[in-house]
Amino acid sequence: MIERIEKELYPLRKRLQNHKVYSSVHNLSDIRLFMEQHIFAVWDFMSLLKQLQNLLSCNSIPWRPSGYPAASRLINEIVWGEESDVNRKGEPMSHFEMYLEAMKSLGANPREIYRILDQLKSGKNIDDILANAPLPKHLINFMKFTFEVVKTNQPHIIASVFTFGREDLIPDMFIEIIKNLKSSSKENLEDLVYYFERHIEVDADEHGPLALEMIKQLCGQNEEKWEETLIYSKRALELRINLWDGILDEIQKQNTLSLVT
């Protein structure tokens, strides 16, 4: 079934691998804009991950067995790497915080992601926040889908989006970005390149295979679960393409405006 899903998803993955957004990043302004929008995908990915941990491991007191010992081990290993890795200086840090660190080093503005985090701290509901957020439609749609998936409370559905729509996709996506950044910019990209290369290292060598194994464990011989895995994975990839289309459009508009002015 994994082979069948990967075959079905191949055209969408190919579109992502060959997306024009990679070759559109030429200068510091382009990089900043890309990061200011991509940060939302880095952030909401963690909600998929933590909801999987909630469902596959017992996080309530008193503790009780979750019923998913093998999948629990897999997801806890992934959480450990994503939530408490080390940055370029060897300091413990989540990958999201590494990305913010890279944004700061390049002068990208994290105002909008901090706005969402501040609203969550004040007790506001994520649905209400997204409904009123001053963000482009491609970002809103992307995050809305993520939290719709989270709210299904279905481990195999969340794992499918996490694995095929996000985690398993990251190495291909980031390799292309890194190639472009290294060849087209003379800016200090050390923090950003470290983040990308670290993601490639852990996702391709560790997290990707673990996530695929988790899917097998959660779907088992249940044909309905495998079909839902395919449906949600396709939707996740379609929204990733839409996200890249939106970011590409924003970069092109920014470049056109700079030429006019």
Side-chain angles (χ1 to χ4, degrees):
M1 288 301 299
I2 291 289
E3 290 180 2
R4 179 202 160 195
I5 288 174
E6 289 182 334
K7 183 178 180 180
E8 293 261 6
L9 297 180
Y10 179 78
L12 292 171
R13 289 176 63 91
K14 200 68 178 174
R15 285 176 62 187
L16 283 165
Q17 288 174 336
N18 297 323
H19 202 283
K20 291 181 180 179
V21 73
Y22 306 125
S23 59
S24 73
V25 178
H26 297 298
N27 52 52
L28 185 58
S29 295
D30 297 338
I31 295 169
R32 285 171 174 165
L33 191 155
F34 177 88
M35 297 181 76
E36 288 167 3
Q37 300 207 7
H38 179 233
I39 183 64
F40 291 96
V42 177
W43 170 69
D44 77 348
F45 167 82
M46 290 302 296
S47 291
L48 291 170
L49 176 60
K50 296 300 286 187
Q51 181 69 325
L52 276 175
Q53 188 181 41
N54 289 336
L55 294 170
L56 300 178
S57 303
C58 179
N59 291 309
S60 60
I61 305 297
W63 178 89
R64 63 187 185 281
S66 68
Y68 298 99
S72 178
R73 178 181 176 85
L74 295 175
I75 200 64
N76 283 332
E77 286 189 28
I78 295 173
V79 168
W80 179 80
E82 294 287 343
E83 198 170 31
S84 54
D85 203 354
V86 291
N87 67 3
R88 192 165 58 91
K89 301 173 185 176
E91 302 166 336
M93 189 175 288
S94 70
H95 285 189
F96 171 73
E97 290 164 312
M98 283 187 208
Y99 201 91
L100 286 174
E101 187 176 62
M103 288 180 71
K104 182 179 179 181
S105 71
L106 289 171
N109 192 339
R111 179 183 62 247
E112 295 303 331
I113 188 64
Y114 279 136
R115 187 201 303 269
I116 287 182
L117 294 177
D118 288 342
Q119 289 177 315
L120 288 170
K121 286 179 183 177
S122 69
K124 290 188 178 180
N125 179 276
I126 186 61
D127 294 331
D128 294 335
I129 292 173
L130 293 180
N132 297 288
L135 295 171
K137 188 175 180 180
H138 55 272
L139 290 177
I140 297 295
N141 289 342
F142 189 84
M143 288 187 284
K144 278 185 175 180
F145 174 72
T146 295
F147 291 103
E148 286 171 9
V149 169
V150 166
K151 290 174 185 177
T152 66
N153 288 322
Q154 296 295 315
H156 68 286
I157 290 176
I158 301 170
S160 68
V161 174
F162 175 86
T163 302
F164 296 109
R166 307 293 286 271
E167 188 72 0
D168 188 48
L169 175 67
I170 282 173
D172 298 329
M173 178 179 70
F174 283 177
I175 287 170
E176 293 304 314
I177 293 175
I178 288 173
K179 286 178 181 177
N180 186 61
L181 292 183
K182 284 185 173 179
S183 64
S184 65
S185 176
K186 297 179 181 178
E187 303 296 333
N188 184 355
L189 299 168
E190 289 182 0
D191 286 336
L192 182 59
V193 170
Y194 176 86
Y195 169 85
F196 286 159
E197 290 182 337
R198 185 64 182 147
H199 241 297
I200 291 167
E201 180 183 349
V202 297
D203 290 345
D205 297 337
E206 303 169 26
H207 295 178
L210 288 176
L212 288 173
E213 185 60 33
M214 179 172 58
I215 289 284
K216 294 177 186 177
Q217 292 175 11
L218 294 175
C219 291
Q221 301 300 315
N222 189 311
E223 292 185 11
E224 183 178 352
K225 287 184 177 180
W226 281 111
E227 286 303 317
E228 288 177 330
T229 291
L230 178 59
I231 290 169
Y232 277 89
S233 298
K234 281 185 175 180
R235 183 61 181 147
L237 291 178
E238 289 167 352
L239 281 163
R240 172 68 73 170
I241 291 170
N242 181 256
L243 176 67
W244 275 178
D245 288 345
I247 294 176
L248 174 63
D249 185 57
E250 296 277 344
I251 290 174
Q252 290 175 336
K253 285 179 181 177
Q254 176 178 264
N255 290 337
T256 299
L257 184 61
S258 66
L259 290 174
V260 172
T261 56

